[in-house]
Amino acid sequence: MNASADIQPHNPAEAMIFRTLVWTWPLYFVGALYVAGPVLAWLLGGLAALSLYLGPTIRRDLQATGPVPPVVMAWCLGMVVMLVALWVGHLDWGLGLKQTIKSSIGWAKGWALLALFPFAGAILPIRREVIIRAQCIVGLWTLALLPVLFVAPYVGLPEKLFTSPLKAIGGPGPEYFSVYFFTWDPASWTPRWQFYAPWSPFAALLGVLQICFAMEERNIRWRAIGIAAGTAMVLLSKSRMGLVGLVACTLGPRLVPLLLRGWAWQLLAAISATMAVLGAALLQSVKDGIAAFKGARADSTRVRETLQRIAGERWQNEAFWFGHGTVQPGPHLVEYMPIGSHHTWWGLLFVKGLVGFVALLVPLAWQTLLSLVDSARSPRGYLPLSISMTLVLLSFGENIEIEAYMLWPALVILGRHAAELRSCQAFPCASTSDTTRGITIAKRFGV
């Protein structure tokens, strides 16, 4: 099967994206993924800025697709606010110039990517199908390597192969530059697989994104490959969050159009009436299910909840507006996990205060709302909404900023979607699924 027989990059921007994504596994094998993501972000961001600056004088296949959409401007402004909050927090807590410079570099490799990739996706002429096909090719790599990864713990192969010398560049930890076959779960002492991610729960959400991308692939063979690879990543990572995403983030967007159907509201009314009789029993079943879900990895749940409680208390009492400037080591109670980790929102409050919290909340909520409205009136919104839902889900169990280097294909799609909506406002797009209500809502919130 020729990987790109019917999908070829048409310009340098598409070529950079396609080749970087296709080479995900080889880059992982040399510990270079954490380097590749930020480098690609700043190259694409710079190219997009150059395209806007030069206008029609730049080569035709790199000319800007239009002005920057408002939601992408919100992402850019929000991430600049993140940097200002970082500087103020370091100044308030006297962390010194050396630590401030180090943290600013960390911002350039983390939070900045949440602005640069949507910006590039919105400005540069990048087609969705190029990214989708490249993601499916990553799935082919995954399926090809899966037999070796799966048998590794059972034939005595080591967990970790090596840590790349590239760790000298600096990053959140050595796991970002390490190559693993698998890891042992300390709670059950059973193997878990993390594929090309730094740890298993993140691999599960990457698997969810893999499925979401593959569902948009037009070629049935590539679609099957992508879905199979993503499902394997979710199941073998043994992540509870991944199982939730597997259902919610893949099926949820495709159920949204029902919100505009009269019969769906009638069905909802009937279900609501039934709940008056069965509600108490169902509520108890839900509570039991949640308790069992948390109990599946009780130690992990305890550590996460304790970290969140400590972060919340110290944020309110010590650094309400601009936070503590950086994460801090936790006590033995949380196994010395850093306070401000394992949760984007509590981490933001602890590290960057209320200012940083709002700087992420506004663009993410705006982007999600746009995707929600568009998915209700057009299949074009399914993938962006799936991505937004996955990011939201990820934010409640991980720190998005230190994982943006792996989320970049999804971020480019969000920017591309904003540009598509901008184009439809300038030149109304005909769609048999459009409704007057959906169009009105979309125009009200803008792009």
Side-chain angles (χ1 to χ4, degrees):
M1 185 188 301
N2 190 340
S4 56
D6 56 338
I7 299 290
Q8 292 286 351
H10 287 174
N11 56 62
E14 287 189 347
M16 283 193 290
I17 288 174
F18 186 85
R19 289 167 186 163
T20 303
L21 189 51
V22 165
W23 285 82
T24 293
W25 273 103
L27 287 170
Y28 172 69
F29 287 139
V30 297
L33 281 178
Y34 186 75
V35 179
V39 169
L40 181 65
W42 285 99
L43 286 176
L44 289 175
L47 189 58
L50 185 64
S51 177
L52 284 174
Y53 178 74
L54 295 179
T57 62
I58 198 171
R59 51 186 289 177
R60 292 179 63 87
D61 60 354
L62 285 177
Q63 289 181 6
T65 59
V68 183
V71 68
V72 174
M73 288 293 293
W75 278 111
C76 295
L77 179 60
M79 297 311 105
V80 171
V81 171
M82 289 285 188
L83 181 60
V84 173
L86 182 149
W87 289 340
V88 174
H90 279 63
L91 185 63
D92 285 346
W93 292 88
L95 297 179
L97 180 61
K98 181 179 178 181
Q99 180 61 45
T100 302
I101 294 174
K102 181 179 178 181
S103 297
S104 298
I105 294 174
W107 171 88
K109 296 186 294 183
W111 289 115
L113 275 56
L114 297 180
L116 291 169
F117 282 121
F119 175 63
I123 299 303
L124 297 173
I126 300 168
R127 293 168 296 154
R128 280 195 191 200
E129 53 264 34
V130 171
I131 306 176
I132 291 169
R133 175 59 56 84
Q135 189 69 61
C136 289
I137 296 174
V138 176
L140 181 61
W141 276 92
T142 302
L143 291 181
L145 293 167
L146 188 58
V148 176
L149 297 175
F150 186 76
V151 303
Y154 304 108
V155 297
L157 294 179
E159 294 180 59
K160 184 171 73 173
L161 290 180
F162 66 94
T163 298
S164 171
L166 290 172
K167 70 176 182 179
I169 295 174
E175 62 271 19
Y176 288 79
F177 303 94
S178 299
V179 179
Y180 291 87
F181 275 133
F182 65 96
T183 56
W184 292 106
D185 184 348
S188 60
W189 205 244
T190 57
R192 301 177 73 184
W193 288 265
Q194 57 196 69
F195 297 90
Y196 46 83
W199 46 74
S200 297
F202 184 31
L205 271 297
L206 290 176
V208 172
L209 288 175
Q210 171 80 57
I211 295 171
C212 295
F213 274 84
M215 291 174 72
E216 300 291 315
E217 171 60 55
R218 296 177 182 178
N219 184 296
I220 190 170
R221 291 180 298 172
W222 283 114
R223 187 190 315 145
I225 288 170
I227 291 175
T231 303
M233 292 177 69
V234 173
L235 297 180
L236 293 180
S237 67
K238 301 181 181 179
S239 167
R240 299 167 297 168
M241 187 166 57
L243 294 175
V244 173
L246 180 61
V247 177
C249 301
T250 56
L251 300 181
R254 285 159 175 78
L255 298 178
V256 170
L258 297 180
L259 296 175
L260 301 180
R261 305 289 178 85
W263 65 264
W265 288 98
Q266 293 173 4
L267 178 61
L268 181 61
I271 294 174
S272 299
T274 304
M275 288 294 294
V277 179
L278 304 177
L282 183 59
L283 179 61
Q284 185 59 46
S285 298
V286 171
K287 289 181 178 179
D288 293 342
I290 293 174
F293 183 78
K294 291 183 176 181
R297 292 180 56 81
D299 290 341
S300 175
T301 300
R302 176 188 59 79
V303 169
R304 289 177 182 272
E305 290 178 347
T306 306
L307 277 172
Q308 294 165 21
R309 185 177 68 252
I310 295 173
E313 291 174 353
R314 293 192 57 184
W315 159 65
Q316 290 182 340
N317 297 327
E318 299 173 2
F320 186 81
W321 291 107
F322 293 99
H324 293 79
T326 184
V327 296
Q328 297 180 6
H332 174 69
L333 180 64
V334 293
E335 301 175 9
Y336 304 107
M337 293 287 185
I339 302 171
S341 65
H342 291 74
H343 198 290
T344 295
W345 304 106
W346 286 115
L348 272 175
L349 289 172
F350 181 81
V351 176
K352 293 181 173 63
L354 186 62
V355 171
F357 183 93
V358 174
L360 176 63
L361 178 63
V362 171
L364 181 56
W366 191 351
Q367 187 85 60
T368 303
L369 184 59
L370 287 176
S371 303
L372 180 64
V373 171
D374 196 40
S375 65
R377 62 190 181 98
S378 170
R380 177 186 57 204
Y382 292 167
L383 180 56
L385 182 57
S386 293
I387 291 170
S388 297
M389 291 175 65
T390 304
L391 291 178
V392 171
L393 180 62
L394 185 67
S395 71
F396 288 102
E398 304 280 350
N399 293 80
I400 284 181
E401 76 279 9
I402 61 175
E403 297 171 344
Y405 77 101
M406 289 297 300
L407 298 171
W408 66 264
L411 298 173
V412 174
I413 290 291
L414 292 182
R416 183 74 256 145
H417 181 241
E420 292 165 355
L421 293 179
R422 176 199 59 204
S423 298
C424 280
Q425 281 194 333
F427 306 99
C429 303
S431 173
T432 56
S433 61
D434 281 347
T435 66
T436 302
R437 181 181 177 188
I439 296 172
T440 302
I441 294 174
K443 289 182 176 179
R444 180 180 303 169
F445 289 103
V447 292

